[in-house]
Each structure stands twice: as C-alpha cells, then as structure tokens.
Amino acid sequence: MGREPPEDPESPAEAWFTFRLCPAAGAQQNATVANPVPGANPDLLPNFLVEPEDVYIVKNKPVLLVCKAVPATQIFFKCNGEWVRQVDHVIERSTDGSSGLPAMEVRINVSRQQVEKVFGLEEYWCQCVAWSSSGTTKSQKAYIRIAYLRKNFEQEPLAKEVSLEQGIVLPCRPPEGIPPAEVEWLRNEDLVDPSLDPNVYITREHSLVVRQARLADTANYTCVAKNIVARRRSASAAVIVYVNGGWSTWTEWSVCSASCGRGWQKRSRSCTNPAPLNGGAFCEGQNVQKTACATLCPVDGSWSPWSKWSACGLDCTHWRSRECSDPAPRNGGEECQGADLDTRNCTSDLCVHTASGPEDVALYVGLVAVAVCLLLLLLVLILVYCRKKEGLDSDVADSSILTSGFQPVSIKPSKADNPHLLTIQPDLSTTTTTYQGSLCPRQDGPSPKFQLTNGHLLSPLSGGRHTLHHSSPTSEAEDFVSRLSTQNYFRSLPRGISNMAYGTFNFLGGRLMIPHTGVSLLIPPDAIPRGKIYEIYLTLHKPEDVRLPLAGCQTLLSPIVSCGPPGVLLTRPVILAMDHCGEPSPESWSLRLKKQSCEGSWEDVLHLGEEAPSHLYYCQLEAGTCYIFTEQLGRFALVGEALSVAAAKRLKLLLFAPVACTSLEYNIRVYCLQDTRDALKEVVQLEKQLGGQLIQEPRVLHLKDSYHNLRLSIHDVPSSLWKSKLLVSYQEIPFYHIWNGTQQYLHCTFTLERVSPSTSDLACKVWVWQVEGDGQSFNINFNITKDTRFTELLALESEGGVPALVGPSAFKIPFLIRQKIITSLDPPCSRGADWRTLAQKLHLDSHLSFFASKPSPTAMILNLWEARHFPNGNLSQLAAAVAGLGQPDGGLFTVSEAEC
C-alpha cells in the first residue's frame, strides 16, 4: 500500500459500460464504469457495495466519503481528475461473507479548503476507482458543495390592511442558499399549515395566499427560510383585516307625538350590521329620521235648532224636528244625546174632525195641473224623436258601404236613388304578396323596378340573366375556373402532415384549412397583389414545441397557429379562424392577441375591446371561435388574463377505456382538456394508438380562476364484481397545470380489477369537480366487451374536403356576383340601403367603425361571412339580407350570360 495510485485505466478503446440507477444521485453521476482486462473473467470485476454520495460542507466541518467494493485488491479516490494521495486514504480489508471474495473499504476526508480552491471554476467531485485481477471499475461521482444561506431576503412581506373577505397575498423570496432554502410561514409565531386550513395556501414562489380574509387572519406574519446551514426570519408583516360598518334595518315609525293635531314621529337604525372593526369606516348617513304627522281631533255631534211646529193633524197633534249636524260627529266624536222628534197636542180642548177647507181644495187642484203638464211634455219629446229618425233613414244608402273595405269579395252597389253617394271599391292588390317600388331611387334618371316575391329571393329573371342561388356558377364560369385550376400556380401543395396545410395563391384568393381543428385561413380576392403568386402555409403547433411566456394570471385560450411566410405584401386583410375555450365577458377577462416577432419574443398586438379601426389587426370574438383580421402573417395566440374569480375556461371531459380487456385489470382514463377542436383531435388520435374507446358522452366543465384544484373520484363500484385499486378517496390535477393551457393530455386513470375473468358488465359513477366550483358526474353502465355505442360521438366530421382550396372554388359567393354586391352597397345611400344596413342584418353592426376604415366595407363584411359560414353556410339567408335592402336596380345583383 505504499506505492502511488496506478495510471488511469480508462482509454477510448475501452468502451464497455455497465449502468446502475441510484435514486439518491443526479442524472450526471448515475454511471458505474468498468474496464475489464482482455481475456479475464468479467464476473470478477470489482462491484461497489458502497459508493460516494453528494454531500454538503457545513461551516468548516470536513465531510467523509466512503467506498467499498468486492472483489477489490486496491481502491483509490480521484477528485476533480487528480488522484488523492495514498496517505489520505483510510483502508480496511475484509472478506465478503456471502462470496468469500476479498473486500476493501476506503475513506477520505474532504475539507472546505480543498473545495474552495476550485470554487467558481467548476463543481468539486470525487470518484472511487477499484482494481481486481479482472480489471477496474469506477464508481459514480459524488459532488461536494459548500452549504450556505445568505442573511438578506430577496423580497420580504409587507404590512397590509384589507377588508373582510378580500384576498391577501404576502410575497416572500428567501435568501440565496445551497441547498435552496425551504420556506414556512408563521402567524403570531404559530406555524401556518395549509393542510389544516383550506382558506390558506402557499404558492410555488413561496407567497402566502389567503383566499378570503377573516377577522382571525389579523396577525403578524413572518416568512422563515431554512436549510442545513441556518434559519432566517424575515421582518414581520402586520395584516389587519378591517370591517366597514353597515346599517341595520330601520325600526318601525314611532307613534305620533300629538294625540290631536300636528306632531312628529321618528325611526332609527344602528351601525351594527356589521359594526366597524379594526379601523373600518363608520356608516355614512343619519341614524335617526323624523317626519311630521297629524292626528285628526274627535268632534262630538251637536243638535241643530228645532224646526217650526207643523200644522195640527187629524189626531189633534203637531210636531217639530232637529238634526245632529251642528256639527255632525266625526273622527270618533260622540253622537248627540236625546230625541230628534218632538210631538205635542195642538189644542187643550176636545179635538173634533171637520171637512177640508178651501186650502185643501187648492192643493189638490195644483197637483192635478202639474201632472197634466208633465204628460204633455213627454208626448212632445216622443214626437220630435220619431221625426228625426225618419230623416236619418232617408240619408243612409246602404250600411254595407261602411264595411266594404274589409270585405272585398262581396261589394254591394250603391242605390239607384242615391247616385251622389261614393261607392268604395275593393283593393284587389291586397290578394298578392308581390311588392314593386323603390326605397332608394337614383338621381340620374328612372330605373327598372326590382321585384320581390314570396318565392326564392333573387330568383332567376328573364332575358338570360342569373342571380344568387345555392347552385354553382354557370357552365361558362365553371369552365373558366377549371381552366385556371389546371395551372401550376393554382394547385395545392399537400405535405402529408396532419397539422399543416399549404397552397399556392394569386389575386383570386383561396382558403387553407387544417381538418378537424377549427383552424382556417381565408385569403379574400385582391388580398394578394395582381401579378404576385404566393405559396402560403398554415401550421398548428403543439404547446410544448413553442415557448409562450405567460405572466401573472394569464392563460392560453386558443391553439398556437402560424401562417406565412411572414413579411409578404398583402393589400387586404386575411382572416385567421381558430377555436378558443374562454367564456369571455368584459367584467371577467382581459383578452389579448399575441404575435411572435422575428426575434422570437411575443408581443401584444391587439387588446380586444380597445382596438383602433385603423389598426393592422382586428378580432371578431364569438362563442368558441375567434376571427382575426390581419394584414401581416405570422404566429398568433389568444391569451386571457382573469380580472376576477368569475373568469372561467371551458374544459372538455372525456372518458376512455380499452376496446379489448385481456387481463383482470381495466383502466378508465379521464381526460381534462381545453374545449377546442384541436385538443380533441390530439386526444382522439392518441387513444386510437392506445386502443381506447369512448365510454361516455363528453361533458363541458367551467373551470374558474379560484386557484382550486380539479378533483376526480370513482364511486358505487360493485364490490362483488370489481375492486378499485385507488388507495385514496380522490385524485387531483393541480390548478396551475390546467389553467396555463400549455400542458396536453392531462388525465387521471382509475384502475379497476375484475373478480372473475367472466365479468363484463360495469356500473359505477365518476365525479369530476373543482373545489368550490363547477362539477360533472358520469354514470357508467355498459358491457366492456361489446358496447361501442359512444364511439360514433367522436367521428370527426369533414370540413370542406381538401386542406387547400384556391380561386373561386374556395368561396360560397360567386366571384362576379360578389363584385356586383360590393359595387352596389359600398356607396353611401341617404335611405340607409348600403353596407351599414347589411352589417346590421348580419348582426355585425358593432364593427361598423372597422368596416368603414377599409377601402371596401362591403368586401370586409362578405369576407367575414365567408369565414364564418364555410362550408355549410346558408347562401339563401345572405341573399335575403342583400335583397331586403331594397336596392332598386335588379341588375346590380345579377350576372348576364355575356359577363359569365
């Protein structure tokens, strides 16, 4: 053992390696290298029983590295490519008990000074080399690092005052250290444990987040960073959760202060709902309200004076009366006391009945005279009424005249004896629905009328003219297009890639589509300058292939799409269509269109809702799809930033299982992907490769920006037939994995085991839900061997055939009819029968300023219609909208045989 270590046995010619995984070591040190002697027994090469491992030097304490190998005649350490001196080795020799071969164990100490010599140049490492008669073997490398933890935090939490139920975020960036420091939080010196309090969690950046502030969260918070060297505390941040005061409900009005006459009454409230706490604002307004009141006073009734005595009657009595009306009782006053009639004997002598006197005879004569007068007056009135009725009958010719306007089928003629009366004739034009007339006449002279009937709008006219129909262009136009399509510069260039489309285009434009993804590029006519021919491509990128930096609460809502080549000259905007998974609303989302520059950085080129009409980019956002107008080709993506927890993304939930089950185990895979057609296509293609089938109808789940994870669980599995191998009550997909939108194929697998190989019926429930959010439940009940009823739900529909369409065949509207419509509707019309009315009829009036900024607003409207409705658009609806504008010249909407 007194000699120096031999030369390094490793050489380029000796390339025989054995690899052994070591869970505690890094990827760069997992190899044990053996160099056998030619012709020797490789089984007798040294085999390491103990290899050196990564260690940290704490303060000035040296670290110990150990190697042990069997069989081994010599073992030496090599550190950073240099052999360690023999005297620094501590060697123990023994015999392996199981094999009887010689074993050797070697130890060395590594000091801080040794490591500091190479500090900053490279990492300090050591490795064992063992010899035997059959060759040498090298151990894995062990890295020795000096542990430290700096004193100052890179970012400390700051004091905050927040209102009740408001969110709290306390940032903390620990000091730099090796190994990296672990972070924990103290609240009033007590450890904060998110597993015990679901209202609190710690982010990956070590920030403490309180979802909804409570009064109990008022405390001093301290961020603590620690590693094997030291433990550091940040400055404490005082968090005060205050409560603004709120008024209680008003009390009932009090009783009026005056029992009779004018007074006042009041009601009150208190600032106790809730009461202000921890410096919260006191309630604004008055706590007492007063109002005037008036109570009616009671008035007791009083008798009026007695009337005069009546004449003496036959019974020798007379009477007098009075009323309780001076004043009458009111407002609860008492009635008059006593009698209202007083009767007395009118003579004190014996009363004798005698015949009527002259006064009674005069009374009777007067009554008879009045009755006769009334009768004569009644007879006169009856006579006058009869005379007037006879005169009215002589003036009316026929009552049917009054209703003849509403009964055009049966019209009575006027009477012969009244020729001066006007006979109302029926309006026979009301029996047809044909309209002829002009809503916006031209000033340069009369023009033929444009006729609309109940039949097909813009139906064929006489004289060899053709109008806008569902049918294809005329035979001459078809021959013209077919001749153009035979030219080389009109042929598409298929590349055989499922997520890419190519085509060669000129001024007639065309369309590129990536099937089953919802991604397409519309190149309108005249977008490419005349005389130019461009080969244009459309590519759909996988998120892992393109790095899209997202900041804060931003999330990817659409696929990343490229169209190019960048830098080509376009004279009209092209329209890029792609799906998105957002539930956009101005209150919940801030949506931005990002474009990658030539240098590779991503820029915000459009803030939806704040776009300028003259901007190079514009976006029509619809439910599930966005249409981007752009005059510059490039790489685009739609990114959203949540403004509140109400912001939500649509997730598509799909359940897959094997088509054939050949073992006892049966796996159910639950995918949670963005609700876009490109994401669905990727999963369907993946499952076809895995031999999977859809076992339930897909569902949509709205994931809110609430930082809550997505949970998945399986229930009601029949224990007599199946056994669930899930060891926990549910599985979880972290919120950030879903929210950033850049991770594909996110799924959880539930493994079930059949009790018997003959078991084929499966019935259970799968629940998917966001904590404190939306959820979906799947009821599974099918036969795993022969049930394929849900497979057809994912049959990918055709999207217009070939990925590239060039020339007029790429558009629903025939080219010449399109030009007629543009020429007619672009000029402004005083009665509104121009492109603005067309935009309103197509529900595009929110984009009038954008259309008006372009040389041809009508062309922009028709381009957007083409992008939205290809290939299954209803052309007759567009024809109805154009015809409904009431343009007077029917020739503007037709194409003659000569023009075709």
Side-chain angles (χ1 to χ4, degrees):
M1 296 301 298
R3 56 191 175 88
E4 289 297 314
E7 293 296 324
D8 189 352
E10 184 179 3
S11 66
E14 297 170 335
W16 183 83
F17 300 93
T18 60
F19 296 93
R20 182 177 60 175
L21 295 177
C22 180
Q28 69 276 18
Q29 58 183 15
N30 289 340
T32 299
V33 183
N35 294 304
V37 176
N41 186 3
D43 295 334
L44 296 180
L45 285 170
N47 179 33
F48 282 97
L49 303 180
V50 178
E51 295 184 75
E53 297 181 353
D54 294 350
V55 290
Y56 293 95
I57 296 178
V58 179
K59 297 183 179 179
N60 293 319
K61 296 180 181 179
V63 295
L64 180 66
L65 300 180
V66 181
C67 276
K68 184 175 182 180
V70 174
T73 58
Q74 294 184 28
I75 300 179
F76 289 95
F77 273 89
K78 178 188 283 187
C79 293
N80 276 52
E82 297 181 1
W83 294 103
V84 179
R85 295 185 307 169
Q86 184 178 1
V87 296
D88 295 331
H89 292 73
V90 178
I91 303 174
E92 289 184 12
R93 297 180 180 274
S94 61
T95 302
D96 184 64
S98 59
S99 62
L101 297 175
M104 179 179 290
E105 180 175 331
V106 178
R107 301 183 183 89
I108 65 169
N109 286 322
V110 179
S111 65
R112 183 187 183 102
Q113 291 76 13
Q114 292 175 269
V115 177
E116 287 179 340
K117 287 181 181 180
V118 296
F119 183 78
L121 301 177
E122 59 180 338
E123 288 191 294
Y124 193 92
W125 58 268
C126 292
Q127 185 181 37
C128 286
V129 181
W131 282 262
S132 71
S133 58
S134 297
T136 62
T137 304
K138 292 183 179 181
S139 71
Q140 67 181 11
K141 290 182 180 180
Y143 288 85
I144 299 94
R145 301 177 177 90
I146 299 175
Y148 68 94
L149 183 62
R150 301 195 185 279
K151 292 184 179 180
N152 296 326
F153 280 73
E154 295 184 3
Q155 184 178 11
E156 292 185 302
L158 300 177
K160 292 193 174 194
E161 292 185 4
V162 297
S163 63
L164 191 67
E165 297 184 353
Q166 183 182 346
I168 304 174
V169 178
L170 296 177
C172 176
R173 294 172 60 189
E176 180 185 359
I178 295 179
E182 299 177 357
V183 173
E184 60 185 18
W185 283 86
L186 302 179
R187 177 166 50 199
N188 289 341
E189 302 304 318
D190 293 331
L191 181 65
V192 176
D193 189 358
S195 62
L196 302 179
D197 187 359
N199 194 44
V200 177
Y201 69 94
I202 300 175
T203 66
R204 289 179 294 181
E205 295 78 20
H206 311 300
S207 297
L208 179 66
V209 178
V210 180
R211 293 185 174 89
Q212 290 185 328
R214 304 158 297 190
L215 290 176
D217 294 322
T218 300
N220 292 321
Y221 290 82
T222 307
C223 182
V224 179
K226 62 181 179 179
N227 64 4
I228 59 177
V229 178
R231 187 172 186 266
R232 312 290 188 199
R233 291 168 56 99
S234 70
S236 295
V239 175
I240 298 177
V241 181
Y242 61 85
V243 180
N244 292 326
W247 288 114
S248 64
T249 57
W250 288 102
T251 61
E252 296 294 331
W253 287 103
S254 64
V255 179
C256 191
S257 60
S259 58
C260 177
R262 293 182 59 84
W264 57 269
Q265 58 185 160
K266 68 176 181 177
R267 63 176 182 175
S268 62
R269 58 180 179 176
S270 59
C271 190
T272 57
N273 187 30
L277 292 174
N278 297 335
F282 196 81
C283 303
E284 295 182 359
Q286 298 179 347
N287 64 336
V288 176
Q289 282 185 344
K290 290 185 178 181
T291 184
C293 58
T295 304
L296 297 176
C297 297
V299 177
D300 295 336
S302 180
W303 292 113
S304 63
W306 287 103
S307 64
K308 294 182 179 181
W309 288 102
S310 66
C312 189
L314 297 178
D315 54 355
C316 298
T317 61
H318 62 169
W319 51 270
R320 63 178 182 175
S321 63
R322 59 180 179 177
E323 295 178 350
C324 188
S325 59
D326 190 22
R330 60 180 182 271
N331 303 331
E334 295 183 357
E335 293 287 338
C336 301
Q337 301 295 324
D340 61 342
L341 185 65
D342 183 19
T343 303
R344 291 184 184 182
N345 198 349
C346 57
T347 178
S348 56
D349 300 325
L350 180 62
C351 182
V352 179
H353 181 70
T354 59
S356 299
E359 296 83 3
D360 293 332
V361 174
L363 177 63
Y364 294 146
V365 172
L367 291 175
V368 172
V370 170
V372 171
C373 292
L374 291 176
L375 182 58
L376 292 175
L377 179 61
L378 179 59
L379 291 175
V380 171
L381 292 175
I382 292 174
L383 181 61
V384 171
Y385 173 77
C386 292
R387 288 180 178 273
K388 287 186 177 182
K389 185 173 184 303
E390 290 176 359
L392 180 62
D393 290 341
S394 63
D395 293 336
V396 177
D398 193 347
S399 62
S400 64
I401 296 177
L402 302 176
T403 59
S404 62
F406 301 95
Q407 300 174 0
V409 178
S410 58
I411 303 298
K412 295 182 180 181
S414 60
K415 291 187 178 182
D417 55 347
N418 291 294
H420 60 279
L421 294 178
L422 176 64
T423 302
I424 301 177
Q425 299 297 334
D427 183 8
L428 299 179
S429 64
T430 60
T431 61
T432 179
T433 58
T434 300
Y435 169 79
Q436 293 184 347
S438 172
L439 294 180
C440 183
R442 296 186 177 271
Q443 304 299 324
D444 54 356
S447 60
K449 298 180 179 179
F450 183 55
Q451 185 177 16
L452 298 177
T453 66
N454 266 352
H456 193 286
L457 292 172
L458 296 179
S459 58
L461 301 177
S462 60
R465 303 178 68 85
H466 305 276
T467 57
L468 188 58
H469 283 288
H470 286 289
S471 60
S472 60
T474 59
S475 59
E476 290 83 355
E478 290 177 351
D479 294 339
F480 174 70
V481 174
S482 63
R483 289 196 301 272
L484 289 178
S485 300
T486 59
Q487 303 298 323
N488 290 332
Y489 50 80
F490 263 84
R491 294 175 182 171
S492 62
L493 302 175
R495 298 296 191 269
I497 301 177
S498 61
N499 287 337
M500 185 177 294
Y502 285 84
T504 304
F505 304 92
N506 68 355
F507 72 95
L508 291 178
R511 187 188 305 265
L512 290 175
M513 295 173 294
I514 301 178
H516 320 306
T517 63
V519 177
S520 66
L521 180 68
L522 178 73
I523 307 166
D526 292 324
I528 298 175
R530 292 178 180 262
K532 300 287 186 179
I533 299 176
Y534 295 158
E535 185 183 48
I536 298 179
Y537 64 84
L538 181 65
T539 305
L540 176 64
H541 299 277
K542 293 184 178 180
E544 61 266 22
D545 297 336
V546 179
R547 176 172 176 79
L548 174 63
L550 299 175
C553 299
Q554 288 184 340
T555 175
L556 181 63
L557 297 177
S558 74
I560 302 175
V561 178
S562 292
C563 54
V568 298
L569 175 64
L570 297 175
T571 57
R572 298 286 188 275
V574 298
I575 301 179
L576 176 64
M578 56 186 178
D579 288 356
H580 68 85
C581 63
E583 289 292 335
S585 64
E587 299 81 11
S588 303
W589 284 102
S590 174
L591 300 177
R592 300 177 186 271
L593 180 67
K594 285 184 174 288
K595 181 178 182 289
Q596 193 173 29
S597 65
C598 298
E599 294 77 17
S601 61
W602 287 86
E603 302 171 350
D604 293 341
V605 296
L606 180 63
H607 188 183
L608 272 68
E610 299 180 4
E611 55 267 26
S614 59
H615 204 273
L616 292 175
Y617 307 93
Y618 199 83
C619 182
Q620 157 76 2
L621 190 68
E622 298 181 358
T625 309
C626 59
Y627 300 92
I628 301 168
F629 292 81
T630 175
E631 298 182 23
Q632 295 182 355
L633 303 182
R635 184 171 295 170
F636 298 93
L638 184 66
V639 172
E641 182 174 2
L643 302 179
S644 67
V645 294
K649 293 177 63 174
R650 296 190 316 275
L651 299 183
K652 181 79 78 174
L653 307 178
L654 299 101
L655 272 63
F656 283 90
V659 175
C661 182
T662 58
S663 63
L664 294 179
E665 286 191 353
Y666 190 74
N667 295 325
I668 298 177
R669 293 180 290 275
V670 184
Y671 288 88
C672 306
L673 54 135
Q674 297 195 144
D675 188 16
T676 57
R677 281 173 281 182
D678 63 288
L680 177 63
K681 174 184 176 181
E682 293 293 331
V683 171
V684 171
Q685 292 179 345
L686 174 65
E687 280 295 328
K688 284 184 178 180
Q689 298 174 3
L690 298 177
Q693 65 170 338
L694 189 70
I695 62 173
Q696 270 293 313
E697 184 175 352
R699 303 279 181 86
V700 174
L701 183 141
H702 293 85
L703 183 77
K704 291 186 176 180
D705 182 23
S706 61
Y707 302 103
H708 290 301
N709 297 338
L710 197 66
R711 292 182 178 178
L712 303 92
S713 61
I714 189 167
H715 304 273
D716 299 342
V717 179
S719 57
S720 59
L721 301 176
W722 297 85
K723 178 183 177 182
S724 174
K725 304 188 77 172
L726 184 66
L727 301 180
V728 293
S729 58
Y730 58 84
Q731 301 186 63
E732 252 188 2
I733 300 179
F735 170 80
Y736 288 102
H737 289 185
I738 308 174
W739 188 255
N740 60 20
T742 59
Q743 299 196 28
Q744 287 187 312
Y745 313 132
L746 285 175
H747 72 281
C748 286
T749 301
F750 295 100
T751 301
L752 304 178
E753 185 176 358
R754 292 187 287 181
V755 175
S756 169
S758 61
T759 301
S760 59
D761 292 325
L762 175 61
C764 61
K765 292 182 179 180
V766 174
W767 292 351
V768 184
W769 77 101
Q770 186 185 19
V771 180
E772 300 182 10
D774 191 15
Q776 291 287 358
S777 174
F778 295 88
N779 294 319
I780 300 176
N781 189 356
F782 77 113
N783 189 294
I784 65 174
T785 60
K786 57 184 179 181
D787 200 338
T788 59
R789 55 186 168 175
F790 298 102
T791 306
E792 297 178 356
L793 293 176
L794 290 184
L796 298 177
E797 299 179 356
S798 173
E799 294 183 6
V802 294
L805 295 172
V806 293
S809 62
F811 303 97
K812 295 282 291 182
I813 308 173
F815 180 78
L816 294 178
I817 293 181
R818 167 192 168 93
Q819 296 303 110
K820 291 277 187 175
I821 297 175
I822 293 174
T823 305
S824 173
L825 298 185
D826 271 349
C829 180
S830 59
R831 296 189 180 181
D834 55 11
W835 63 269
R836 295 175 179 82
T837 307
L838 178 62
Q840 293 175 357
K841 287 180 174 290
L842 299 179
H843 307 291
L844 300 175
D845 45 340
S846 60
H847 309 299
L848 291 180
S849 57
F850 169 70
F851 296 145
S853 67
K854 302 303 176 184
S856 175
T858 309
M860 293 296 103
I861 297 173
L862 297 181
N863 294 343
L864 182 56
W865 186 92
E866 290 277 6
R868 295 170 67 192
H869 296 89
F870 190 87
N872 300 318
N874 190 341
L875 200 59
S876 64
Q877 292 182 356
L878 177 62
V882 174
L885 298 181
Q887 285 287 345
D889 189 359
L892 294 174
F893 300 90
T894 60
V895 182
S896 66
E897 293 287 347
E899 290 173 321
C900 289

